[in-house]
Amino acid sequence: MDVNCGGYIQTHGVSAYQQGKITGEDIDRALRNLFAIRMRLGLFNGNPKYNRYGNIRADQVCKKEHQDLALQAAQDGIVLLKNDAGALPLSKSKVSSVAVIGPNGNNASLLLGNYFGPPCISVTPFQALQGYVKDATFVQGCNAAVCNVSNIGEAVHAASSADYVVLFMGLDQNQEREEVDRLELGLPGMQESLVNKVADAAKKPVILVLLCGGPVDVTFAKNNPKIGAIVWAGYPGQAGGIAIAQVLFGEHNPGGRLPVTWYPKEFTAVPMTDMRMRADPSTGYPGRTYRFYKGKTVYNFGYGLSYSKYSHRFASEGTKPPSMS
C-alpha cells in the first residue's frame, strides 16, 4: 500500500527494507503516487488562502442549509421496524404525559457515533420530545449502554405513571467503534430486563428506539405485544434527537431501510476467521451477507416499514421498456 493510517509502516518499514521484503523501487512508487495526489489537491500552489477552498470560514459550517441537510440525513436514515396496531405515530393532542427511559435518551453526544466534528446544535431526544409533550420525565434506568448498573424500580415507577413510554436503548462507542469488537449480538447487560419490566408496567404498548450502528438481536421485543413499535435510528448525528421526535409524532414519515442483515445471537458462533460467503448445508455453515446467508434473521437487509400503505403491480405485456441508453 502507498499509505497507512496509523503507525505500522513507521514501526516496521525500516526492518522490512533491511530484510528485502520491500525495495527502494516500492518506496519510490509510493512517494510518487502520494505527491501526485497532493499536487492534484493544489497543496503546492502557494498560499492556500488564495486557492479554491481558501475562503471557507468556520461560520459557514453551521449555515442553515447545512443544518437542514443534517436534519434530512437523520430523517432519511430512521427505520421503522415494528408498528403493531398503529402504535405510531403519536398524536400531540392525545399524549398528556410521556416517560423517556434509557441510557441513550438524554445524552446528545451519543447521537454522533464515531468520526465527528463538534456539532452546531446539541439537542437530546428527551429535550426534543419536551417540545411535543409538556409533562415529560426522564429516567436513565441504566448507568450506560453497558447497563451493568441499573435502577429498574425507578424506571418501572415512571412507566406506570405516564400516559406513554419511549425507551432509548442500544449501544454506544464503548460497545462498538474502530478497534472495539462486539462479542455478542444482544442488548448489553440488563437492558433486555429493563425493557421487559418497563413494558409490563406501562399503561399502553411502549415504543423502543434503538441507537446503534451494528445489528442487535431484539427478537424478544419483536415478539412482545407490550412493545408496540421499534425504531432504529443508527447514530443520527446532531439533528438526530429532533428527527426522532418528528418521526414519533408523524411530522416525518419514516422511509429508511436496513443497510445490513440483523443476525440472531447464535450467529456469533460462526468463527470470524471463516470468511466463506456461501452457505454450506453439509456442515451447518449459514453463509454471510444478505446475498448468501441462509439462516434465520431478526430483520432482513432492506427491511423497513412506513406510516403509508404501498402496493405494486407488474406492468402488462406490451409495455415499452425504457431505453437502455
Side-chain angles (χ1 to χ4, degrees):
M1 61 178 73
D2 293 339
V3 65
N4 163 238
C5 180
Y8 193 88
I9 290 177
Q10 291 171 300
T11 303
H12 302 288
V14 171
S15 174
Y17 176 76
Q18 291 171 343
Q19 295 177 59
K21 294 182 177 180
I22 58 174
T23 66
E25 288 74 20
D26 294 326
I27 297 170
D28 289 342
R29 186 204 66 244
L31 283 172
R32 278 195 298 271
N33 291 342
L34 290 172
F35 275 87
I37 291 294
R38 295 183 69 189
M39 290 174 181
R40 288 170 59 189
L41 290 170
L43 300 183
F44 302 103
N45 293 355
N47 190 329
K49 283 199 294 187
Y50 302 113
N51 292 337
R52 183 177 181 184
Y53 302 111
N55 293 314
I56 297 177
R57 302 180 307 277
D59 60 0
Q60 291 179 263
V61 174
C62 291
K63 289 172 64 175
K64 184 178 183 302
E65 62 183 291
H66 298 153
Q67 295 203 47
D68 289 346
L69 182 60
L71 177 59
Q72 181 188 342
Q75 292 170 336
D76 292 350
I78 292 174
V79 183
L80 181 63
L81 296 174
K82 177 182 178 180
N83 194 24
D84 287 357
L88 290 176
L90 301 175
S91 169
K92 273 187 180 181
S93 61
K94 295 180 180 179
V95 180
S96 59
S97 62
V98 63
V100 176
I101 297 171
N104 290 344
N106 200 26
N107 186 338
S109 67
L110 299 178
L111 301 169
L112 302 179
N114 205 301
Y115 290 101
F116 56 85
C120 300
I121 60 172
S122 184
V123 180
T124 71
F126 173 60
Q127 290 170 335
L129 288 171
Q130 283 180 305
Y132 292 81
V133 186
K134 288 184 178 180
D135 186 1
T137 58
F138 171 71
V139 175
Q140 189 168 341
C142 287
N143 56 327
V146 66
C147 202
N148 53 12
V149 177
S150 68
N151 190 344
I152 294 178
E154 184 184 4
V156 166
H157 175 73
S160 63
S161 304
D163 193 15
Y164 285 85
V165 176
V166 184
L167 285 148
F168 285 88
M169 313 302 284
L171 307 175
D172 61 20
Q173 295 304 295
N174 291 317
Q175 306 297 313
E176 53 177 0
R177 68 176 189 273
E178 186 171 4
E179 295 187 341
V180 173
D181 293 328
R182 295 166 60 198
L183 300 179
E184 50 93 24
L185 285 169
L187 290 175
M190 291 177 276
Q191 280 198 46
E192 185 172 327
S193 177
L194 174 63
V195 171
N196 283 329
K197 290 182 179 179
V198 165
D200 287 340
K203 298 175 183 178
K204 299 180 178 68
V206 303
I207 298 156
L208 174 62
V209 179
L210 299 169
L211 294 180
C212 52
V216 285
D217 186 344
V218 289
T219 303
F220 78 95
K222 180 180 179 182
N223 297 333
N224 187 345
K226 292 284 287 178
I227 298 172
I230 303 175
V231 174
W232 180 66
Y235 292 117
Q238 68 171 35
I242 299 170
I244 291 168
Q246 290 177 338
V247 166
L248 296 185
F249 279 89
E251 293 180 359
H252 181 80
N253 186 0
R257 300 291 184 267
L258 286 182
V260 293
T261 300
W262 281 28
Y263 300 103
K265 292 178 181 179
E266 52 266 28
F267 188 71
T268 56
V270 177
M272 66 176 291
T273 52
D274 189 340
M275 295 305 296
R276 291 176 293 164
M277 303 303 286
R278 297 183 186 276
D280 183 1
S282 65
T283 61
Y285 181 71
R288 290 183 181 272
T289 79
Y290 71 95
R291 289 190 65 193
F292 305 112
Y293 177 70
K294 300 298 183 183
K296 69 175 184 177
T297 62
V298 181
Y299 288 108
N300 292 331
F301 167 85
Y303 181 82
L305 305 175
S306 169
Y307 296 152
S308 302
K309 294 186 183 299
Y310 296 97
S311 63
H312 67 274
R313 62 180 177 83
F314 289 103
S316 59
E317 286 187 40
T319 303
K320 185 179 180 182
S323 169
M324 293 304 291
S325 62

